Amino acid sequence: MRRDNLARLFDPQSIAVVGASAAPEKVGYQLVDALRDYPGEVFPINPKVAEVAGRRTYASLAEVPHAPDLVLMAVPAAATPDVARQAAQVGAGAALIVSGGFAEAGGAGAALQAQLASICSDSGLRLLGPNTSGYARPATRCFASFVPAVRGFRPGTLGIVAQSGGVNLSLAFLAQRRNMGLRLAVGLGNAVDVDAADVVEYLADDDGTHVIVLHLEGVPNGRRLYDVIAATTPRKPVIVLPVGRAQVAEFAQSHTGNLMGAHAITAAAMRQAGAIVVDSTEDAIDCAAAFSAGRIEPKPKPGVAVLTGQAGPGLIILDALRSRGVDVPQLGDETVGRIAKLLPPMTYLRNPIDTGRPSPVFADVMMEVARDPGIDAVLTFALDEPAALDPIAVFSRTRDQVKQPLLFATLGEASSIETVRDALAARKIPTFFSPERAATAAWALAEDAKARWRCSLTAPATSIEAGERASARDELAAKQLLRQYGIESPKNVACRTHDEALRAFETLRKPIVVKVLDPQIAHKTEVNGVHLDVSDVERLRRALEAIDSIPGDRQERGYLLEEMAPPGVDLIIGAKRDVSFGPTILVGLGGTAAEALNDVSIRLAPISRLDAQEMLDELRGRELLDGWRGAPPVDRDAVVDALLAVSALISTQPELTELDINPLRANPEGTLALDALMIWASPSRG
């Protein structure tokens, strides 16, 4: 029923407008007027006037001749629960609330929103909003919105889903500006019932939607959204714009809690699901436009060719592509030989292919480039010079003979290049008006191909069966639990008194590290609780006395004496049970500067071995692992094993909320956990 009612929401045959107004400046009038070309039935509800925007009115929903598929509400927030109940009672499938004053206002507004959620749950009514600008479906001329300009949207194949109504319209207007048509553009508002996952799933099953752009602000049920995106991206591209990069949560107990902000987890989860993650509305639309040229077949390293009539812009494109990890491979000798016969000497032919100036041979060169086995997409740049090059003629020759996606970038007089853009769009060749924007589009094609290849080899991150309940309240207990999962630590001894510490000191290889052992102290270095290179009894006594002087309850305090580890690269491996996305895992450059470096890679857990390997490759400091300036390379397989162990731990221990191994010392012999912190939902259980 809920699935059927979602279809009634977005493809209604009849619409009622409660709160319809005869005053043109009122939202209740604008909602009716926006439906002036809608071919279905429209029932304005207003007991005080005879008509609104030329349509007969009805006194209430009960007087409408039959149950409307969709009820639009332009009434005060306090009145919406009653209207929603009436809609459900008369058999409506869905409702849409444009009013504000709900959870975003707190207090009474939050209570009203809770009532709406309960009505939807009990009745099966689907609700878009509240606090939404609505949606636009140009192909059916259904503009369920109070914004007049939406009636100008053209039909097409782009689906837009935005948590903000303003962002929904911004993306839609940007798409219209570049002559892209819309299949459906939805603003979710407060998403009391219909959320991002619902709409993406709906568009995934819609044959008329070819690409989806998704804007996210907050994700209440991230794991479900991840599952929906992961099921969608093999069928059609999804581009995600998550906002909130600069938001800072309350200080967390662990480094992991600070490094895994909401934006970082959302972006990582969407990439893991196969989506393309972007940082701006313009990038989102440019990437969506790229897919009008088609998709590159899934592969780990798709190659892009750059054909340019001007060397400078070609270098900008090359730099932008390689900076984002896109392969711009050298062309094979046979390809270069064929191209050399078409171009004058002193031009660069290996890739980018610099023709020296736009010319009619562009078409022949492009077809030769496309024949190269290492090329999966061709990006062409040429300034607008009609006397030298007719792009429409060039691409008319090549489109049917080149199977790879073709992109075109140009700059020139506005009317001329817009004419070219529109003509090429009809041939499914997107045009971009700067080198950088064209590079972003080519990156999107390559990123999509790599993501689908990766996802085809890795199982989705679903929860796994919980293991035997465990708890570890201090560093020693945490390391003992890690050892059960295969992560070793240096030899250590826990002591309660100075005499015990002196006896233990004699049994350990020197030098050692002496640390405070206290479940109440998360960051030991910040309270002078870590003392390195302790090699004699006098240094040991000073370390013990320094730990004794740390303020706080000493009832559970002790000392941890541990052998110093061999040199290597310090990493951080962390895990966190996110309230929205569930178990997540992180790896990065570690030590006391982990948060300052912020060089991390994140995945939802559980992860596969390929996921773990890719996480290491994503680090900016990955060269440190492979032998930097003569240092021996670390045992990468051992680091991968540690990541898989932490993934299993956070996935099988439901009461473990955060975990830090910082640092994890990696060297050619393997890995050692030098410090470990675990935070449990029920710490009193230890």
Side-chain angles (χ1 to χ4, degrees):
M1 179 180 180
R2 286 176 59 80
R3 184 175 59 250
D4 291 344
N5 283 346
L6 191 68
R8 293 175 74 185
L9 168 64
F10 293 127
D11 193 17
Q13 304 305 302
S14 57
I15 301 174
V17 182
V18 179
S21 172
E25 71 276 9
K26 299 283 189 179
V27 169
Y29 177 91
Q30 293 159 2
L31 284 172
V32 178
D33 188 53
L35 297 169
R36 66 174 69 168
D37 298 321
Y38 170 66
E41 296 176 285
V42 178
F43 307 115
I45 308 298
N46 187 326
K48 297 180 180 180
V49 297
E51 68 173 41
V52 171
R55 295 183 184 269
R56 174 200 164 182
T57 62
Y58 296 82
S60 68
L61 282 173
E63 292 190 11
V64 171
H66 56 81
D69 288 320
L70 173 61
V71 176
L72 307 183
M73 297 188 211
V75 297
T80 57
D82 285 341
V83 176
R85 290 189 191 94
Q86 293 169 22
Q89 288 168 0
V90 302
L96 186 158
I97 300 175
V98 300
S99 315
F102 295 88
E104 77 280 3
L112 288 171
Q113 185 161 313
Q115 288 186 54
L116 292 171
S118 178
I119 292 167
C120 292
S121 176
D122 293 343
S123 68
L125 182 78
R126 302 313 305 266
L127 175 62
L128 184 63
N131 194 25
T132 175
S133 60
Y135 72 81
R137 187 158 196 157
T140 61
R141 301 194 295 282
C142 183
F143 299 106
S145 174
F146 56 83
V147 179
V150 301
R151 294 198 305 270
F153 290 161
R154 295 180 296 278
T157 60
L158 172 62
I160 297 174
V161 187
Q163 287 187 317
S164 158
V167 174
N168 172 50
L169 293 172
S170 297
L171 290 164
F173 284 125
L174 283 171
Q176 294 295 292
R177 195 170 72 183
R178 62 169 302 127
N179 204 21
M180 293 174 63
L182 301 175
R183 179 65 171 176
L184 180 66
V186 181
L188 297 172
N190 291 14
V192 66
D193 174 53
V194 174
D195 62 12
D198 290 324
V199 186
V200 171
E201 192 170 46
Y202 175 83
L203 293 174
D205 292 333
D206 176 47
D207 291 339
T209 302
H210 294 177
V211 59
I212 301 168
V213 172
L214 172 62
H215 158 260
L216 297 173
E217 291 177 350
V219 185
N221 192 346
R223 191 60 68 134
R224 177 170 181 264
L225 178 62
Y226 167 86
D227 289 338
V228 168
I229 299 293
T232 301
T233 50
R235 293 187 281 168
K236 56 191 68 173
V238 178
I239 298 143
V240 180
L241 171 60
V243 299
R245 182 188 301 275
Q247 291 178 358
V248 179
E250 293 182 6
F251 184 77
Q253 284 185 275
S254 71
H255 293 290
T256 299
N258 287 322
L259 290 168
M260 278 198 196
H263 178 274
I265 293 175
T266 300
M270 295 298 96
R271 290 190 190 97
Q272 189 175 349
I276 299 156
V277 177
V278 298
D279 295 326
S280 73
T281 53
E282 288 200 342
D283 282 355
I285 296 303
D286 283 339
C287 292
F291 289 102
S292 65
R295 297 177 92 177
I296 298 174
E297 289 299 311
K299 58 172 47 181
K301 198 175 180 181
V304 175
V306 179
L307 172 61
T308 181
Q310 291 83 23
L315 287 174
I316 291 174
I317 293 170
L318 176 66
D319 186 47
L321 291 175
R322 287 187 171 162
S323 295
R324 301 179 80 165
V326 178
D327 187 30
V328 185
Q330 287 201 347
L331 300 177
D333 290 341
E334 291 185 6
T335 304
V336 172
R338 292 193 299 268
I339 295 173
K341 297 175 182 178
L342 300 170
L343 295 174
M346 305 301 291
T347 56
Y348 189 79
L349 307 180
R350 286 289 177 184
N351 195 13
I353 304 94
D354 176 16
T355 66
R357 187 169 182 240
S359 72
V361 301
F362 253 46
D364 299 297
V365 173
M366 193 184 306
M367 288 187 284
E368 294 296 346
V369 169
R371 289 173 59 190
D372 191 282
I375 299 305
D376 299 291
V378 181
L379 191 167
T380 300
F381 181 93
L383 292 173
D384 188 42
E385 298 183 63
L389 178 71
D390 180 356
I392 299 172
V394 166
F395 284 102
S396 295
R397 279 189 60 198
T398 59
R399 176 66 284 178
D400 293 336
Q401 299 184 51
V402 175
K403 66 180 184 301
Q404 298 98 323
L406 299 176
L407 311 178
F408 181 57
T410 187
L411 281 167
E413 198 275 326
S415 62
S416 176
I417 60 176
E418 287 172 1
T419 298
V420 170
R421 178 200 63 193
D422 295 346
L424 295 186
R427 295 163 173 79
K428 297 185 177 181
I429 298 167
T431 301
F432 304 90
F433 293 156
S434 82
E436 294 85 354
R437 295 177 70 176
T440 295
W443 163 79
L445 292 176
E447 190 78 356
D448 173 68
K450 288 191 287 187
R452 284 183 291 135
W453 172 82
R454 183 188 69 246
C455 291
S456 70
L457 300 179
T458 59
T462 56
S463 55
I464 58 179
E465 185 177 350
E468 183 179 348
R469 294 175 66 190
S471 182
R473 297 185 57 213
D474 60 24
E475 179 182 344
L476 179 65
K479 287 180 173 177
Q480 289 170 340
L481 181 56
L482 288 174
R483 186 171 289 113
Q484 295 178 29
Y485 282 79
I487 300 176
E488 295 296 329
S489 306
K491 182 180 179 182
N492 55 37
V493 181
C495 307
R496 300 293 297 175
T497 67
H498 285 212
D499 287 342
E500 288 181 10
L502 288 167
R503 289 194 296 270
F505 181 69
E506 298 302 323
T507 68
L508 297 172
R509 175 176 50 80
K510 284 51 164 200
I512 68 166
V513 57
V514 181
K515 295 187 266 189
V516 61
L517 195 61
D518 189 328
Q520 305 304 317
I521 299 176
H523 298 289
K524 294 181 282 292
T525 56
E526 295 178 7
V527 296
N528 195 28
V530 179
H531 301 268
L532 304 174
D533 294 311
V534 176
S535 55
D536 55 51
V537 171
E538 181 57 31
R539 289 187 180 181
L540 174 62
R541 290 186 188 278
R542 290 201 298 268
L544 298 174
E545 291 169 357
I547 290 172
D548 291 341
S549 67
I550 297 173
D553 183 1
R554 302 182 187 181
Q555 184 176 356
E556 296 184 87
R557 185 172 299 173
Y559 317 99
L560 184 65
L561 279 60
E562 190 167 75
E563 294 180 353
M564 297 282 287
V569 177
D570 284 347
L571 300 170
I572 177 173
I573 293 182
K576 174 183 175 181
R577 191 169 304 281
D578 184 73
V579 67
S580 177
F581 286 95
T584 54
I585 185 169
L586 166 152
V587 66
L589 294 184
T592 57
E595 290 171 43
L597 294 172
N598 195 26
D599 183 9
V600 299
S601 177
I602 300 171
R603 292 287 192 281
L604 303 191
I607 60 171
S608 69
R609 194 166 195 86
L610 177 59
D611 286 323
Q613 292 165 343
E614 288 194 335
M615 291 174 77
L616 296 182
D617 289 336
E618 289 170 7
L619 299 179
R620 296 191 303 274
R622 59 188 173 274
E623 292 182 4
L624 295 174
L625 304 177
D626 300 326
W628 176 251
R629 293 193 172 182
V634 309
D635 184 347
R636 271 188 174 235
D637 286 338
V639 179
V640 168
D641 289 339
L643 277 166
L644 293 172
V646 171
S647 170
L649 180 55
I650 190 69
S651 299
T652 57
Q653 295 293 335
E655 293 181 30
L656 179 60
T657 59
E658 282 190 40
L659 179 157
D660 261 359
I661 305 174
N662 184 30
L664 179 84
R665 178 68 53 81
N667 57 34
E669 285 70 49
T671 61
L672 290 171
L674 304 192
D675 195 4
L677 168 68
M678 295 182 185
I679 301 171
W680 300 81
S682 304
S684 60
R685 195 168 39 82

